[in-house]
Amino acid sequence: MAEGMHERMLDAVGTAIACGELPPGSVLRLEELQQTYGASRTVAREVVRALEAMRLTTSKRRVGVTVRDCADWNHYDPRLIRWQLDSEQRAVALRNLMELRWAVEPSAARFAAIRATPEERGRLRALGARLEVTAHARDLHTFLGHDIDFHHLVLAASGNPMFTQLSEVVAEVLTGRTEHGLMPAEPQPEAVALHLEVAHAIDSADADRAERAMRDIMVQARDEVAQQFQ
């Protein structure tokens, strides 16, 4: 029960901060949070600690809990990304996230072509095939799972742990696009073909081809999202 209250309260306050309803400089009192959400003092304190860990707020004695400037936030936190995608700031959040993916994933594909293990190359081929099957079946839920696994594997196969840690960020972007209806009912054949191209390029250790195909995926995804906000 307490855990459920913690999650609901954290989502509510976090979303209010992420969407600007509680702008930087806003002061939150622990007692007011308890009353607003009907939470115990213990739960309210845990929520505040979680917000502080994400660098969304800071606490000072006799002042209260203050919302920090957005430049201070941990923008890589998957939960913050989810809140931003759930808010009216969705278009801006998606633009920022797509720019991050554009900067990282093509390079990750290049390095994966150079460094991937035989097992990773085989798993990428298998995931590419699964994407093709589920796309034709219009099974967006299963397609999403395979898509997340595919991009995670490319990042991991790059051999760069800093790239790998962006997997959760990419997963939130892909999930958000699907949950908010920003994906076509049937994934575009061009997008599926490009994923297969990435898998084949990495499998054949063709770094230029892998980087180019992943960049084309980013272009295609950017254009799909842009059409939804026209």
Side-chain angles (χ1 to χ4, degrees):
M1 183 71 175
E3 183 177 348
M5 171 59 73
H6 174 273
E7 294 298 308
R8 290 193 296 274
M9 185 176 174
L10 180 57
D11 281 338
V13 180
T15 299
I17 294 173
C19 73
E21 183 182 327
L22 290 172
S26 300
V27 177
L28 313 175
R29 306 288 182 183
L30 203 62
E31 294 76 11
E32 293 174 357
L33 289 172
Q34 288 179 250
Q35 293 174 2
T36 300
Y37 297 99
S40 68
R41 190 172 186 82
T42 298
V43 168
R45 284 186 182 278
E46 289 174 351
V47 167
V48 167
R49 278 196 288 268
L51 294 171
E52 289 177 352
M54 298 168 68
R55 301 206 300 269
L56 296 179
T57 62
T58 184
S59 297
K60 289 185 179 179
R61 188 173 295 179
R62 299 192 183 90
V63 175
V65 180
T66 305
V67 177
R68 299 176 66 163
D69 188 271
C70 64
D72 298 329
W73 299 353
N74 178 11
H75 290 281
Y76 293 100
D77 191 292
R79 194 153 199 166
L80 174 57
I81 292 170
R82 196 177 317 139
W83 293 334
Q84 290 173 323
L85 293 177
D86 286 343
S87 75
E88 294 180 358
Q89 304 299 319
R90 185 178 305 138
V92 174
L94 281 169
R95 182 199 68 198
N96 294 338
L97 291 161
M98 287 304 305
E99 289 175 358
L100 175 65
R101 293 186 65 194
W102 195 306
V104 172
E105 291 197 68
S107 293
R110 163 174 284 277
F111 291 122
I114 298 169
R115 300 170 179 161
T117 66
E119 179 187 359
E120 288 170 331
R121 296 175 199 273
R123 286 169 56 202
L124 271 177
R125 291 197 310 272
L127 282 169
R130 290 171 194 158
L131 284 170
E132 190 171 32
V133 170
T134 51
H136 288 316
R138 300 167 67 95
D139 182 354
L140 282 184
H141 177 74
T142 306
F143 180 90
L144 171 63
H146 293 327
D147 200 18
I148 289 172
D149 289 343
F150 185 95
H151 287 275
H152 166 74
L153 185 53
V154 172
L155 290 167
S158 73
N160 186 323
M162 299 181 77
F163 285 176
T164 306
Q165 287 195 357
L166 290 175
S167 291
E168 286 188 276
V169 172
V170 174
E172 287 297 335
V173 179
L174 296 173
T175 301
R177 285 185 60 198
T178 299
E179 291 183 347
H180 292 289
L182 301 176
M183 281 282 289
E186 180 179 342
Q188 296 296 315
E190 296 83 359
V192 177
L194 285 171
H195 281 74
L196 291 170
E197 175 73 359
V198 169
H200 292 316
I202 291 174
D203 187 41
S204 60
D206 189 335
D208 289 341
R209 180 182 166 198
E211 181 176 11
R212 184 170 55 251
M214 184 63 82
R215 196 172 303 282
D216 287 344
I217 288 176
M218 298 299 105
V219 171
Q220 197 265 350
R222 179 202 63 191
D223 291 347
E224 276 187 358
V225 170
Q227 290 176 3
Q228 300 292 330
F229 291 99
Q230 287 179 350

